[in-house]
Amino acid sequence: MRSILFLFLAWAVSMCLGDLADAAEFLSGTEVTIAADETWEGDVYIFAQTAKVEGKVNGDLVVYSQSLHVTGDIEGGVIAAGQEILLEGTYGRTCRIAGQAAQVGRGAQMKQDLIAACYSLEVDKGATIEGDLVYAGYQAMLGGTIQEDVWSAVNRAEVTGKIGRELSITTDSNRQQGPPPSQYWQKMKLVDIPTVSPGLTIHEDATIGGKLTYHSPSEVTIEDGAKVTGPIEWIEPKRPVEQGPKSKTNYFWGQLKRYVTLLVMGILMVLCCPATCGGTVDQIVRRPIVSFLAGILAVPLSIIALGVVAGLIVLIPMAFGLLTLEGLAVAGAFIAAFAMVLYVGSLGYFFVFGAAAVTSITLGRIVFSDHPVTSRGRLILSLAFGLVFYVVLTCVPYLSVGVFVAAILFAFGGLFVWMMRGLFGSSPEKGAPAKTT
């Protein structure tokens, strides 16, 4: 089954490459080995559990495997993803790797850049990267020679080799030495994950030929004998400012103002539309699931209706113009524009204030009464009581967004169900069968 999957992936890649597929070779299986006396022309694609390349590839090497060991001569670059990757030998172009642990072995020669993303990256002494190193991961041990720049974002790093130009690195704030990586990861066959000291450490035999820029909450450790030719810039992240008593008081007054604003706007809606408010709340209480599902439909429909109303501003004058009724065209355009403004205002009001008011009245209705609330006084009392819970819930981190969304869906859904029942339905009293004597 695994071999079939590998063959299918190889076929898919070949179809994407088009005419270049004729110059590419695809290898798959449990173990794939290119012997030292073999030479492959063109690009080579390997899909295997274990891949070992000892020969020469006159093109790029693309590998997806659990384990990859390269000791041969690659004229192009390496694009690899796997659990453990050990690169030795020579490479003519940029190498791009991603995995759990990667190591650039002693004697490796990379003519251009290395771009890597791993839990751990180690560049052995004796390895040479003639271009840049761009790396993101948990830890890095840089012991070889990197002739250009190093750009890295890690939790911890140690530099024991030579960097030709600038070192720009970001390290984490955790300065505690944790347990060895072997407790987190299973033992490797090719790569041994080293234990790296927390933060950034420049050892005594390290050399940085340009500027050292590091983003870290703690200062770098530079041992005696280490050479940093350029300036050293320490960018310390800003620590979060703790809220004092004044900030907490301002936050309280801000929420109180928000409560009063929602209360006033909710009272205005109740005074203008008591039947609509009461009917919407009644539908939410009696049919919560139906109202919620209807809200999922009603919200996009309301936005679509906005486009329809906007289109009427253009279509109505055009229709009257085609009918040579230019006088009605102006009046129709004015009416359509007025309807657009009215609809946009109503929709925006309901999104910002109406949904919160309906949700608050619903909460108050659940607490105070099991019967429908129709009077303005009872609706306002339920609003004032339920709004307390609404404001408190929207102040809870990670919960506020859910409360906002639920309030909008319930409010729009309850209003939609109430309007549909009013248009097409009938009251229980009208629909009940007549009693016979």
Side-chain angles (χ1 to χ4, degrees), residues 351-371:
F351 262 109
V352 179
F353 303 109
V358 169
T359 303
S360 301
I361 296 173
T362 304
L363 294 174
R365 155 78 186 277
I366 294 173
V367 173
F368 282 120
S369 175
D370 293 334
H371 302 285

Side-chain angles (χ1 to χ4, degrees), residues 115-268:
I115 302 174
C118 316
Y119 170 83
S120 176
L121 173 65
E122 182 178 6
V123 180
D124 290 343
K125 286 186 175 296
T128 301
I129 301 174
E130 298 183 9
D132 298 332
L133 171 61
V134 181
Y135 171 65
Y138 178 76
Q139 65 178 29
M141 177 73 77
L142 307 180
T145 299
I146 303 169
Q147 296 183 2
E148 300 293 334
D149 301 325
V150 174
W151 308 88
S152 180
V154 294
N155 180 280
R156 52 193 63 191
E158 294 184 27
V159 181
T160 59
K162 179 180 178 181
I163 299 175
R165 299 200 312 190
E166 180 179 354
L167 170 60
S168 178
I169 190 169
T170 300
T171 59
D172 195 30
S173 59
N174 184 12
R175 296 289 298 183
Q176 298 180 356
Q177 181 67 55
S182 59
Q183 294 190 14
Y184 296 109
W185 307 103
Q186 61 184 6
K187 188 175 181 180
M188 303 290 183
K189 297 179 180 179
L190 289 176
V191 179
D192 293 328
I193 300 179
T195 301
V196 181
S197 301
L200 175 61
T201 304
I202 311 296
H203 288 278
E204 58 182 1
D205 52 351
T207 300
I208 300 176
K211 180 181 179 181
L212 170 60
T213 304
Y214 65 100
H215 302 247
S216 177
S218 56
E219 192 172 359
V220 63
T221 301
I222 302 178
E223 297 181 353
D224 296 336
K227 297 180 181 179
V228 180
T229 304
I232 299 176
E233 181 180 2
W234 177 20
I235 303 176
E236 188 175 6
K238 296 181 180 180
R239 298 179 179 179
V241 180
E242 297 183 359
Q243 291 187 353
K246 185 176 181 180
S247 299
K248 295 180 180 179
T249 303
N250 294 336
Y251 180 78
F252 171 78
W253 283 111
Q255 297 304 319
L256 182 60
K257 293 178 182 178
R258 178 164 162 261
Y259 173 85
V260 174
T261 301
L262 292 175
L263 180 62
V264 172
M265 300 305 290
I267 292 175
L268 179 63

Side-chain angles (χ1 to χ4, degrees), residues 311-322 325 328-329 331-336:
L312 291 176
I313 300 178
V314 179
L315 294 178
I316 290 178
M318 290 178 61
F320 285 121
L322 294 175
L325 300 173
L328 293 178
F334 177 79
I335 294 173

Side-chain angles (χ1 to χ4, degrees), residues 302-312 343:
S302 63
I303 299 175
I304 293 174
L306 182 63
V308 173
V309 175
L312 291 176
Y343 181 77

Side-chain angles (χ1 to χ4, degrees), residues 365-401:
R365 155 78 186 277
I366 294 173
V367 173
F368 282 120
S369 175
D370 293 334
H371 302 285
V373 179
T374 56
S375 65
R376 290 183 173 88
R378 297 290 297 275
L379 287 172
I380 294 175
L381 181 62
S382 300
L383 170 65
F385 183 80
L387 194 57
V388 176
F389 293 95
Y390 179 83
V391 173
V392 171
L393 290 175
T394 53
C395 292
V396 179
Y398 307 107
L399 184 62
S400 58
V401 176

